[in-house]
Amino acid sequence: MLKFGIDVGGTNTDATILNDKDQVIATVKTHTTADIETGIYDAIKKVLLDFSIDPTEISQAMLGTTQATNAIVERKNLATVGVIRIGYPATASVMPYTEWPQDMITALTGKAALVHGGYEFNGDPIVNFDPTEIYDILNSWKGKVESLAIIGVFSALNDDQEQKAAQLAKEVLGADIPISLSSTIGTIGLIQRENATILNAALVKVIKRVTKGFAAALADYGITQATSYLCQNDGTLMSLEFATKYPILTIGSGPTNSIRGAAYLSNLQDAMVLDIGGTTSDIGVLTNGFPRESSRAITVGGIKTSFRMPDVLSIGLGGGSVVHKDAQGKITVGPDSVGYKITDEAICFGGQTITATDIAVKLLGVKLGNPQLTKQIDNDLAKKAMAIIQARLSDAIDQMKTNAGKVDLILVGGGSIIVASALVGVAKIYSNKYGKVANAIGATIAQVGGQYEKIYQYANLDRRIALADAAELAKKQAIVAGADPKTIKIIEVNEVPLAYAPGETTRVKVKVVGELA
């Protein structure tokens, strides 16, 4: 049986097919289209026809998509969200949507209510929880909200008030109302966890369209025997059903797919990954075969959030980046790019715009388009542009290092042709003929993941019991996401003592992975 993976990038939509031994047997690269869906259809059609693939032989289909990110950035197709924060009066000084861009609040029609409840850091109630208060608010929101975000103070320690509020919501607004609970999405910090929960609630319509569209595209081309998955932002997969509950986990899946694909192609478990596309270069770190997770607050569409995301640095430099020379003779490269129009506008393809790809064709001997056309590019301009390209890439790699030593670098992405044979601070560069579609390969070979984070007080609960509990919760999440219970293994356990809290209070995070069920 075959595995089929698609990754939608800003410039290209890539597809790949692996056999039952996880060997690559087919790859294609097509242009990403403005409506996204057309590009997916094109990629499916091309890979099936070009390689004479029998669609009934495909048993698993994976999609990495940017649609959730695009919806937030563009403020389009978002659900009307009702926000219930359980934390009055303790949190009244900072209301929901504080510091949000006004256009985003308008897009969500930002309804929010603050109700009594919440917990102290030691698990004691702040004030009594009042179900009647929530019941009245929900009744006033009937017909006015499409999705709910429920956030409780220190719900990572005790989520029972969030659960009670969710049950009330189903009774008042109907069993089908989408509900996002902050205890299942973010980490400890209230405001950033709340922001992530609101965004998750806002994306429910987008993800339904994505899952239905993906299923329809597969069916239209006869791929009817496959179980479908979406890619998560930690380098693992989740079932379409799980994705409809946690659409925010698709944000950032593109870079993680590339990092996982790079690990597969290089057989390395620890290295730095440079993924160069048509518009940007993403630098990530491979740790134990998976992307290194960011420890910083992530800003999505101008909103600070708190949920798991890969530690990736993006710079405005890619194969389609435009080379400029101003009136004073100063040369710059990017951040503007010809993107998917490179085959029309770049010099080596007969166009009139000098791009980073043209510089690589002229100076590095890259065989692309018509190399003879790049002779019209001034030699001095080309050398200076190349020096700028290599310096920017070296600086970006240096920013992602944790020490001053040289690192191994895995080079992937369609724009990787712009990299010279050596970079400052890099010990060895690894590449592969399939590196141009590493993102699609990463989607195809991914396992199903589960991650859980919870606060425990070791003074009141034995550490071994706490770790076992967190591991079990992570395993349950992986099973719900589509993992085979028999194959699940723990790949990361992280304990962070909370110095400001008594009783040896510790934040425990466990990550697990398993094979597709």
Side-chain angles (χ1 to χ4, degrees):
M1 301 299 283
L2 306 177
K3 295 181 181 180
F4 180 34
I6 297 178
D7 185 88
V8 182
T11 301
N12 294 306
T13 294
D14 300 334
T16 185
I17 293 180
L18 274 61
N19 62 19
D20 56 1
K21 296 180 180 179
D22 280 348
Q23 297 170 323
V24 179
I25 62 172
T27 65
V28 298
K29 184 179 287 287
T30 62
H31 291 318
T32 296
T33 55
D35 64 352
I36 305 295
E37 287 88 350
T38 302
I40 293 174
Y41 270 81
D42 291 344
I44 295 174
K45 180 180 179 180
K46 186 172 177 60
V47 76
L48 293 179
L49 292 179
D50 287 4
F51 293 88
S52 301
I53 300 294
D54 180 357
T56 63
E57 290 295 311
I58 297 174
S59 61
Q60 296 163 349
M62 300 81 166
L63 174 66
T65 176
T66 60
Q67 290 207 43
T69 307
N70 295 345
I72 294 172
V73 172
E74 298 172 6
R75 316 315 199 210
K76 293 180 179 179
N77 304 312
L78 300 172
T80 301
V81 178
V83 181
I84 295 177
R85 184 200 290 172
I86 307 170
Y88 184 83
T91 66
S93 59
V94 182
M95 292 296 290
Y97 295 114
T98 297
E99 294 189 347
W100 277 52
Q102 184 56 50
D103 60 343
M104 188 62 171
I105 299 174
T106 301
L108 303 184
T109 61
K111 290 189 176 296
L114 188 57
V115 301
H116 289 83
Y119 289 97
E120 301 283 2
F121 56 77
N122 63 356
D124 293 337
I126 298 174
V127 294
N128 290 333
F129 178 75
D130 185 1
T132 304
E133 189 178 6
I134 294 178
Y135 185 84
D136 292 340
I137 290 167
L138 292 171
N139 267 306
S140 70
W141 286 354
K142 280 185 177 180
K144 299 178 182 178
V145 297
E146 298 171 307
S147 181
L148 282 181
I150 300 176
I151 304 94
V153 178
F154 274 105
S155 59
L157 185 64
N158 188 340
D159 67 350
D160 66 339
Q161 293 180 354
E162 286 190 355
Q163 295 289 350
K164 290 176 183 177
Q167 185 57 44
L168 280 171
K170 290 183 180 294
E171 293 174 9
V172 177
L173 301 179
D176 294 331
I177 183 75
I179 300 173
S180 298
L181 303 183
S182 75
S183 56
T184 66
I185 293 172
T187 53
I188 296 176
L190 175 66
I191 300 302
Q192 292 168 358
R193 171 164 49 92
E194 178 176 78
N195 291 348
T197 307
I198 296 171
L199 289 179
N200 190 75
L203 291 168
V204 294
K205 291 200 300 186
V206 174
I207 206 66
K208 283 183 179 179
R209 191 184 71 181
V210 170
T211 55
K212 288 182 179 179
F214 186 42
L218 294 173
D220 286 349
Y221 286 103
I223 305 175
T224 56
Q225 307 300 315
T227 304
S228 301
Y229 301 86
L230 289 189
C231 298
Q232 298 193 64
N233 50 22
D234 64 351
T236 62
L237 299 170
M238 55 183 166
S239 67
L240 298 191
E241 182 181 1
F242 189 84
T244 60
K245 297 179 181 178
Y246 303 104
I248 199 168
L249 296 182
T250 65
I251 294 175
S253 63
T256 60
N257 285 341
S258 294
I259 294 171
R260 288 284 287 144
Y264 168 87
L265 294 172
S266 65
N267 289 318
L268 295 178
Q269 293 291 299
D270 299 280
M272 199 164 287
V273 178
L274 175 57
D275 177 18
I276 306 180
T279 304
T280 62
S281 292
D282 296 327
I283 302 96
V285 179
L286 188 64
T287 303
N288 194 27
F290 284 86
R292 185 174 73 191
E293 190 173 318
S294 176
S295 59
R296 300 169 296 172
I298 302 297
T299 299
V300 182
I303 303 155
K304 282 190 176 181
T305 65
S306 164
F307 66 102
R308 65 176 187 256
M309 281 285 283
D311 189 9
V312 174
L313 174 64
S314 295
I315 61 173
L317 177 64
S321 293
V322 179
V323 178
H324 300 277
K325 183 177 182 180
D326 64 18
Q328 287 72 44
K330 181 180 179 181
I331 296 170
T332 57
V333 184
D336 54 326
S337 169
V338 297
Y340 64 83
K341 296 181 180 179
I342 190 169
T343 53
D344 296 321
E345 299 189 14
I347 296 293
C348 65
F349 291 108
Q352 301 299 314
T353 304
I354 301 176
T355 68
T357 293
D358 294 312
I359 303 302
V361 170
K362 181 177 180 67
L363 297 182
L364 301 180
V366 173
K367 298 186 184 303
L368 196 65
N370 183 355
Q372 294 297 317
L373 296 176
T374 62
K375 288 184 176 180
Q376 63 187 280
I377 301 173
D378 179 75
N379 283 332
D380 184 61
L381 180 147
K383 290 178 181 178
K384 289 180 178 178
M386 178 57 71
I388 292 170
I389 292 169
Q390 307 311 311
R392 289 187 62 192
L393 293 174
S394 296
D395 288 345
I397 291 168
D398 194 55
Q399 289 182 53
M400 294 296 288
K401 289 181 180 179
T402 56
N403 58 62
K406 290 187 176 183
V407 296
D408 288 334
L409 180 71
I410 309 169
L411 190 60
V412 297
S416 59
I417 57 173
I418 69 173
V419 179
S421 58
L423 288 170
V424 176
V426 174
K428 184 176 180 180
I429 296 177
Y430 293 82
S431 60
N432 186 283
K433 65 179 180 179
Y434 294 123
K436 293 181 179 180
V437 292
N439 46 6
I441 291 174
T444 311
I445 57 96
Q447 298 165 296
V448 178
Q451 182 169 298
Y452 209 89
E453 187 170 330
K454 190 173 180 179
I455 300 172
Y456 298 92
Q457 289 185 305
Y458 287 168
N460 301 323
L461 182 68
D462 186 272
R463 174 177 174 270
R464 290 173 297 178
I465 296 175
L467 294 178
D469 179 62
E472 186 61 28
L473 292 170
K475 289 177 181 178
K476 287 181 179 179
Q477 190 183 71
I479 292 169
V480 173
D484 180 351
K486 297 178 181 178
T487 65
I488 294 175
K489 61 180 180 180
I490 297 172
I491 62 169
E492 180 184 344
V493 177
N494 189 17
E495 299 173 90
V496 180
L498 303 183
Y500 57 84
E504 298 181 56
T505 300
T506 304
R507 183 176 67 192
V508 177
K509 181 178 71 175
V510 177
K511 181 177 179 179
V512 302
V513 296
E515 299 302 324
L516 304 178

